Amino acid sequence: MITPNTLQKGDTVAIVSTARKITKEELKPALELLKSWGLKSVLGKTIGAEENQFAGSDELRAADFQEMMDDPNINAIWCARGGYGTVRIIDKLDFSSFTKNPKWIIGYSDVTVLHSHIHNLGVETLHAQMCLEIENKTEKSRESIRKVIFGEDYLISFSVDAYKEACGDTLQENTRLGFIKGEIIGGNLSVLYSLVGSPSEMKTEGKILFIEDLDEMLYHIDRMMMNLKRSGYLKNLKAIIIGGMTQMKDNKVYFGKTAEETILDLVKEYNYPVILNFPAGHILDNRGLILGREVKLISENDKVILEF
């Protein structure tokens, strides 16, 4: 996998929206953050644009992203927000210039479309908080972006003890795994599920799969995971990392399992570990993940470490 160029102070970050509409006013905290890092910012034509829920038409959003990919004066692209819409423009994009001179693509949720597609082109991307609401996330969330784009040493570490009471013995059994090395891929489960059978679908063989989701029915989680299992995506993994499964919903007739319990049950026949409650996704502490990077996944003394 190719690692995008490291940024230096004075470099320029483009902000575009590949999905929902957003105003310049909503981006002020992100712009101030980039300035504090010594970086310049450029707003794309999609910022302030509007077509129903989208940040302008499919053609405008595709052209905006294409321009920022092709512009040699742009050193990274930070997606303004998610929602829905990136899949509508992915086939309009030409990545030939990007693969010759890759730059960091930053975002998560709906931006999983870009992560998965670009992964298949052999380039690393940064799964991390979008511009929107960056000020409301933890300092570790913000610092994870800065460390990655500036090429600093970076790892994620958290204590298993913090989650034992909530997850019980299941968590303890699945997190004490010693040492695993492998390439990390993934993103939003709903988006990954929607990409199956397309040129942007994920390639999971021998890799560590990260998944997270927001505002889904619990039986939807089961349905999506069943599809991935029956399609062979879960069989030959090295590990699964489950991030935030946030604001899950249920019917009046209860499904009977949490999202985490559903996933654990569907992969229990496979001989690989499952890490729960990882600090990434639609949660307050949304740490950056370098997708496509070969990582070290370590669990010892009740601590999980993901080293990039």
Side-chain angles (χ1 to χ4, degrees):
M1 299 293 289
I2 300 171
T3 300
N5 295 328
T6 297
L7 271 66
Q8 308 292 330
K9 288 189 176 182
D11 282 347
T12 302
V13 176
I15 298 177
V16 301
S17 182
T18 58
R20 283 191 181 179
K21 59 189 176 184
I22 191 169
T23 65
K24 184 177 179 180
E25 185 70 21
E26 292 174 289
L27 293 174
K28 280 187 175 180
L31 296 174
E32 291 172 1
L33 182 64
L34 290 173
K35 185 177 180 181
S36 73
W37 292 346
L39 297 171
K40 301 174 184 176
S41 57
V42 171
L43 299 184
K45 296 180 179 67
T46 47
I47 306 306
E50 181 177 345
E51 184 175 279
N52 300 316
Q53 72 172 26
F54 300 118
S57 65
D58 293 347
E59 289 71 24
L60 175 65
R61 298 197 318 282
D64 201 23
F65 195 83
Q66 187 73 57
E67 180 180 347
M68 299 309 182
M69 280 201 298
D70 295 345
D71 188 339
N73 297 313
I74 299 298
N75 307 103
I77 302 174
W78 195 6
C79 293
R81 67 168 305 166
Y84 168 74
T86 309
V87 73
R88 296 180 59 88
I89 70 171
I90 191 67
D91 293 326
K92 301 178 186 296
L93 299 174
D94 178 0
F95 290 91
S96 56
S97 176
F98 172 82
T99 54
K100 294 175 183 175
N101 186 29
K103 53 193 77 174
W104 285 111
I105 305 297
I106 308 163
Y108 79 119
S109 195
D110 192 61
V111 180
T112 296
V113 175
L114 290 169
H115 291 310
S116 190
H117 191 89
I118 292 172
H119 178 268
N120 294 337
L121 300 176
V123 179
E124 296 176 352
T125 56
L126 179 53
H127 181 284
Q129 180 64 32
M130 251 90 69
C131 298
L132 186 65
E133 297 187 349
I134 187 70
E135 72 278 16
N136 296 327
K137 300 301 178 178
T138 63
E139 181 62 21
K140 288 182 178 179
S141 300
R142 292 185 287 271
E143 269 294 283
S144 68
I145 298 174
R146 188 193 64 79
K147 285 184 176 181
V148 172
I149 63 177
F150 280 102
E152 297 181 11
D153 291 339
Y154 175 54
L155 60 78
I156 298 173
S157 175
F158 69 96
S159 172
V160 174
D161 290 333
Y163 307 112
K164 282 183 179 178
E165 185 176 347
C167 300
D169 293 338
T170 301
L171 176 65
Q172 298 176 52
E173 292 168 3
N174 284 281
T175 56
R176 292 178 179 172
L177 45 116
F179 175 88
I180 288 176
K181 193 173 183 180
E183 193 175 291
I184 188 168
I185 61 167
N188 182 266
L189 175 59
S190 298
V191 175
L192 292 170
Y193 166 76
S194 74
L195 296 176
V196 170
S198 77
S200 306
E201 69 177 352
M202 61 181 175
K203 306 295 190 295
T204 62
E205 184 81 20
K207 297 177 183 178
I208 298 170
L209 174 63
F210 166 79
I211 52 175
E212 62 85 31
D213 220 323
L214 168 73
D215 195 28
E216 281 290 345
M217 299 295 292
L218 288 171
Y219 81 90
H220 288 182
I221 299 297
D222 186 81
R223 179 169 62 190
M224 290 186 288
M225 291 299 296
M226 280 299 305
N227 176 272
L228 296 185
K229 182 175 182 177
R230 296 184 68 235
S231 300
Y233 294 96
L234 306 180
K235 186 177 182 180
N236 296 310
L237 295 173
K238 287 193 172 180
I240 286 183
I241 298 175
I242 304 173
M245 288 290 168
T246 310
Q247 297 175 19
M248 295 288 110
K249 299 180 293 186
D250 207 349
N251 288 314
K252 290 182 179 179
V253 179
Y254 297 142
F255 181 68
K257 294 178 182 177
T258 66
E260 291 84 355
E261 288 169 340
T262 294
I263 297 167
L264 284 168
D265 184 56
L266 290 176
V267 301
K268 64 184 179 183
E269 67 196 73
Y270 305 128
N271 187 29
Y272 53 70
V274 181
I275 301 296
L276 304 174
N277 293 290
F278 193 84
H282 290 81
I283 53 179
L284 180 66
D285 193 14
N286 183 16
R287 314 273 185 95
L289 296 169
I290 306 173
L291 300 182
R293 177 72 57 89
E294 185 170 75
V295 300
K296 296 176 182 177
L297 183 59
I298 307 161
S299 180
E300 55 186 13
N301 299 323
D302 292 328
K303 180 176 286 188
V304 175
I305 302 171
L306 187 66
E307 185 176 329
F308 294 91

